[in-house]
Amino acid sequence: MTPGAAIAVDSLALLPATEALAGFRSLEISPVDVLEAQIRRIESHNGDRETGINAFTETLFDSSRAQARVAADEYVRLAREGGGAPALLGLTVATKEKHGIAGLKLEQGLAAHRGRIAPVDHPVVERLKAAGGIIHVRTTSPEFSCATTTHSPMWGITRNPWNTQTTPGGSSGGSGAALAAGFTTLATASDIAGSTRIPAGFTGTVGYKAPYGRIPGAGALAADWYRGDGPMGRTVADTALLAAVMSGRHHTDHGSWGKNGINPLLEGDVAGLRIGLSLTLGDYPVASEIRENTLKVARALQAAGAVVVPVDLPWTTARITETTFAHFGHILGPAMAVETAGTESELAAYTARFIKDATAAADRNSLVDSLAMDHALQGELATAMTGLDALLCPTSAVASLAADGDYLDGIETSEGHLGHYWEAHMTSPFNVANRCPVVSVPSGLSRDSVPTGVQIVGHPFDEAMAFRVAAAVESLVPGPGFPPLG
């Protein structure tokens, strides 16, 4: 028996997780076939750190092949004897390097961490393994996951498979690039200011920022209420599947909450729902093509029976930047300074700039000031969303960024000058309001042949509504498909 022999290699590599699982159960395809198809795509298209997609810090092909064979045998046994399989049995999952795997490197792209080994599995990795997921690659990020592009002196430049002159976003850029290119079925990410949603938007994939604590973290910085780890996939259903595996209370993270294994994607259309629409979240200078793609989504939702309500928010990009960097200046910035002490001359320019900007913002604003700024933004969002079921807005204000860009002097756009590179993205307000679930889904393509995305923002803890609307967008507005890798 040669499962999957009649299915093209590329089709196997790009198969959604939900369809792959169905094929595994019926024995029509094998986890071995899917893994080998993805390895062939990696070997053909990932390339090197200078000119290739360069999505990985490490490949684990030998161990993953052994795991795939075990999974294939288990499906044969289950077909014969009956019973249920673990939720991800046989599916490939690319994990962000910061999600440590016991005995493997945990460097986060930093010279100061070179050679550092993870003593234990990150809670997310622990759950992936328990669910039968196969970790075959580990994905790149910028240093300390602090930029919206993905390049570093340690790992080189990660490029967008849609347009290799552009970035897949950051900080989970390797995960987004790997998904878009068909190198993996699922991927892990993290998000402290948009690091899951930005790469999802730029790569035509789906990324989920869960409410704070819903997915357990690791280490002292897991206590930072802006942050969170999350799933990425090529479909809403795949992303929900991975979210169910990753989510729930974990004994090593006392801030984690809820039950494990609860899929947030429930039945339901958008007829009768009231969905707010904000094209600019105040004054973000959103590119015209992104505005049009977002309006296209809104019109599709309206045609499906939703009531789309224009929403005004009293936000400015300058105020959001000051709020977030004041927060970073009291938590992440000092942590980064400690972690990189003695290696300052080896830091990427964007890392040094992040620490500098965060320190300056903390000098201007006390921690109490920072909390008051957070509270004001949260209250304004709550007021704007009163009477609504969800909010729709773009993921990024710009259509693309250069793969090797630092943007230390801001960004010039057709809509105006952005004083800080984080202002190119419309994600960080929902890390300030970090109890809100947010799903980024594709909205179209830009003139640069780079995908664009929209965010579906739910009320605090209402994961089901965010996924319900995201699934509707996916069904109503065709995604960009797959990049032409040649």
Side-chain angles (χ1 to χ4, degrees), residues 95-413:
T95 58
K96 190 172 182 177
E97 195 265 359
K98 72 172 292 184
H99 294 142
I101 300 175
L104 299 183
K105 290 179 180 179
L106 181 57
E107 297 175 324
Q108 297 198 72
L110 294 167
H113 289 187
R114 188 174 287 117
R116 182 175 291 188
I117 302 297
V120 297
D121 287 341
H122 189 285
V124 162
V125 169
E126 176 189 314
R127 286 183 168 165
L128 296 178
K129 290 180 176 180
I134 298 172
I135 300 173
H136 63 312
V137 290
R138 306 181 71 200
T139 62
T140 53
S141 62
E143 291 181 345
F144 224 101
S145 296
C146 75
T148 67
T149 58
T150 295
H151 60 83
S152 68
M154 179 177 287
W155 293 325
I157 302 168
T158 298
R159 298 176 183 275
N160 195 329
W162 287 93
N163 177 344
T164 55
Q165 298 306 305
T166 70
T167 183
S171 65
S172 307
S175 290
L179 281 167
F183 297 161
T184 188
T185 302
L186 299 167
T188 71
S190 64
D191 199 313
I192 197 169
S195 287
T196 301
R197 291 159 287 155
I198 294 166
F202 280 152
T203 60
T205 59
V206 179
Y208 178 48
K209 184 207 74 67
Y212 173 64
R214 185 70 181 103
I215 295 174
L221 288 178
D224 183 345
W225 57 94
Y226 273 27
R227 65 155 302 282
D229 299 294
M232 294 182 70
R234 284 191 290 267
T235 71
V236 172
D238 285 5
T239 307
L241 170 71
L242 186 53
V245 168
M246 295 170 70
S247 298
R249 184 179 298 114
H250 191 277
H251 70 279
T252 64
D253 180 3
H254 200 61
S256 59
W257 56 271
K259 293 183 178 179
N260 174 248
I262 305 299
N263 194 307
L265 180 57
L266 305 177
E267 295 292 329
D269 57 27
V270 294
L273 295 183
R274 291 176 58 82
I275 300 173
L277 170 64
S278 180
L279 291 176
T280 62
L281 293 181
D283 75 345
Y284 279 91
V286 178
S288 59
E289 54 198 310
I290 294 175
R291 288 174 182 255
E292 183 50 43
N293 285 348
T294 306
L295 286 170
K296 176 180 63 179
V297 171
R299 289 191 291 265
L301 289 170
Q302 197 161 27
V307 178
V308 177
V309 182
V311 169
D312 292 321
L313 282 154
W315 295 346
T316 65
T317 55
R319 179 178 163 213
I320 290 167
T321 301
E322 185 73 359
T323 298
T324 54
F325 271 83
H327 172 93
F328 296 146
H330 288 288
I331 301 177
L332 183 58
M336 292 170 66
V338 169
E339 290 288 330
T340 61
T343 61
E344 290 87 352
S345 64
E346 299 181 70
L347 291 177
Y350 58 76
T351 307
R353 177 62 178 270
F354 187 99
I355 295 170
K356 178 182 177 182
D357 289 348
T359 300
D363 287 343
R364 292 189 297 269
N365 304 280
S366 70
L367 179 58
V368 174
D369 293 334
S370 171
L371 294 174
M373 295 156 73
D374 283 0
H375 180 70
L377 285 175
Q378 292 163 0
E380 289 157 0
L381 179 61
T383 297
M385 291 185 67
T386 298
L388 302 176
D389 294 291
L391 175 69
L392 170 71
C393 65
T395 302
S396 285
V398 299
S400 67
L401 294 174
D404 59 354
D406 284 322
Y407 298 107
L408 302 183
D409 297 320
I411 301 172
E412 294 296 337
T413 76

